[in-house]
């Protein structure tokens, strides 16, 4: 995982000793091939220049590839879980445990946010490194301590994750950030969901009841689509924006070039 997409790494001085070691190792590995021997592995990735506006490619990536596709995947998983959970139950209610759709909604939001954020960390990182999508470069880098902490802009960490501690920090740190984003979405999504469920349920006293066979499965199917489509794009944008800030910082310090800059230099 390279500097631009590893959330634990921020811009720093190039490691000249490591670069020299890499070049020497490549010379020993293939003494007959002298093409681009001074280019480190991180420079071989096809990073694109950060954009100064939201491009069509970025919009399609965020709202179609990330939003809709994530929604469909979430819908399938939620539907399968709902079918396995509810089809053998005697009753499905809104608030009273067990088999309460309100509790299921809260747990699903928690699990889907954390899992989706982790997935986006690696998927978007790979797409940035391979040039599938350029990073976003039209936002100003934040100055507040909280925002710089949230976007991993001040933590000095190694470029590679080796050992248990860096990987634990990676997963724990991203989980915390996904929960912060969840805190923003939760009141709106949870409130709207409960309101909708009161409209489609059968009220008996202070509780609402639902058909065991169809209602929870269809609900979780639709819920997965909505949550995935709405909440995944901001997660993907987090890594696109952060990568843009770090690429600009590294380029300004004479660090890693984008694929466009490398191509123009070779030409």
């Amino acid at each position: 995982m390279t500097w631009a997409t590893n959330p634990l790494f921020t811009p720093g001085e190039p490691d000249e000793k490591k670069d020299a070691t890499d070049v020497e190792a490549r010379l020993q590995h293939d003494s007959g091939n002298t093409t681009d021997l001074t280019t480190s592995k991180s420079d071989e990735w096809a990073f694109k220049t950060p954009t100064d506006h939201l491009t069509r490619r970025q919009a399609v990536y965020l709202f179609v590839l990330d939003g809709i596709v994530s929604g469909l995947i979430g819908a399938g998983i939620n539907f399968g879980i709902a079918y396995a959970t509810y089809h053998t139950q005697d009753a499905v209610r809104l608030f009273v445990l067990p088999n309460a759709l309100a509790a299921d909604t809260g747990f699903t939001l928690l699990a889907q946010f954390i899992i989706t954020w982790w997935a986006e960390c690696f998927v978007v990182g790979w797409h940035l490194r391979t040039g599938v999508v350029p990073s976003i470069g039209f936002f100003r880098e934040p100055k507040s301590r909280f925002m710089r902490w949230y976007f991993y802009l001040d933590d000095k960490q190694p470029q590679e994750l080796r050992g248990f501690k860096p990987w634990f920090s990676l997963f724990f740190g991203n989980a915390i950030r996904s929960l912060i984003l969840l805190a923003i979405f939760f009141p709106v999504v949870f409130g709207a969901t409960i309101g909708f469920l009161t409209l489609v349920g059968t009220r008996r006293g202070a509780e609402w009841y639902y058909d065991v066979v169809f209602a929870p499965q269809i609900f979780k199917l639709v819920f997965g689509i909505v949550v995935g489509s709405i909440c995944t794009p901001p997660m993907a944008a987090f890594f696109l924006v952060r990568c843009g800030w770090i690429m600009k910082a590294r380029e300004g310090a004479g660090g890693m070039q984008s694929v466009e800059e490398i191509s123009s230099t070779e030409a």
Side-chain angles (χ1 to χ4, degrees):
M1 190 175 295
T2 58
W3 59 267
T5 52
N6 178 359
L8 295 180
F9 184 74
T10 55
E13 295 298 326
D15 191 341
E16 298 179 357
K17 182 178 180 180
K18 183 178 183 300
D19 290 343
T21 303
D22 291 342
V23 172
E24 183 179 354
R26 293 178 65 185
L27 283 168
Q28 294 176 353
H29 177 71
D30 187 3
S31 58
N33 182 9
T34 59
T35 304
D36 197 24
L37 290 175
T38 60
T39 302
S40 65
K41 181 174 179 57
S42 62
D43 290 332
E44 295 174 359
W45 294 111
F47 286 101
K48 293 184 178 295
T49 301
T51 62
D52 58 3
H53 65 281
L54 184 66
T55 66
R56 181 180 300 176
R57 178 184 289 270
Q58 289 169 332
V60 170
Y61 183 84
L62 289 172
F63 300 109
V64 178
L65 295 182
D66 274 290
I68 296 178
V69 172
S70 176
L72 293 175
I73 294 174
I77 295 174
N78 281 316
F79 179 84
I81 294 175
Y83 180 81
T85 302
Y86 292 106
H87 80 285
T88 60
Q89 303 301 317
D90 296 329
V92 177
R93 295 171 288 268
L94 181 56
F95 296 114
V96 178
L97 296 172
N99 307 323
L101 292 183
D104 194 342
T105 299
F107 178 78
T108 300
L109 277 172
L110 175 65
Q112 191 161 340
F113 260 74
I114 294 177
I115 294 172
T116 303
W117 184 287
W118 280 339
E120 290 299 295
C121 173
F122 293 101
V123 172
V124 178
W126 176 258
H127 289 160
L128 284 165
R129 296 197 300 271
T130 54
V132 172
V133 62
S135 58
I136 293 175
F138 52 87
F139 288 107
R140 295 182 62 180
E141 188 172 327
K143 296 182 179 179
S144 70
R145 292 182 60 184
F146 172 78
M147 293 301 294
R148 294 191 66 82
W149 167 84
Y150 191 76
F151 282 91
Y152 291 102
L153 294 178
D154 291 329
D155 296 338
K156 300 299 180 182
Q157 299 291 342
Q159 293 188 8
E160 298 181 2
L161 301 177
R162 294 180 180 178
F164 172 77
K165 186 176 180 180
W167 280 103
F168 176 80
S169 298
L170 171 66
F171 281 98
F172 181 75
N174 277 277
I176 293 297
R177 284 157 177 80
S178 69
L179 293 178
I180 293 174
L181 184 64
L182 173 61
I184 299 173
F185 278 90
F186 188 88
V188 177
V189 176
F190 185 81
T193 301
I194 298 303
F196 172 78
L197 288 173
T198 60
L199 296 177
V200 300
T202 301
R203 185 170 183 176
R204 300 173 188 171
E207 184 58 284
W208 284 262
Y209 290 80
Y210 305 89
D211 183 86
V212 173
V213 178
F214 299 107
Q217 292 84 359
I218 295 176
F219 161 66
K220 291 295 289 291
L221 178 73
V222 175
F223 187 74
I225 293 176
V226 173
V227 173
S229 300
I230 294 176
C231 302
T232 305
M235 299 180 188
F238 170 92
F239 295 102
L240 295 185
V241 172
R242 181 184 182 278
C243 180
W245 285 332
I246 293 183
M247 286 194 69
K248 284 186 173 183
R250 285 296 291 265
E251 291 167 6
M256 179 177 169
Q257 293 178 304
S258 66
V259 64
E260 291 92 339
E261 293 171 323
I262 294 173
S263 299
S264 63
T265 301
E266 293 175 349

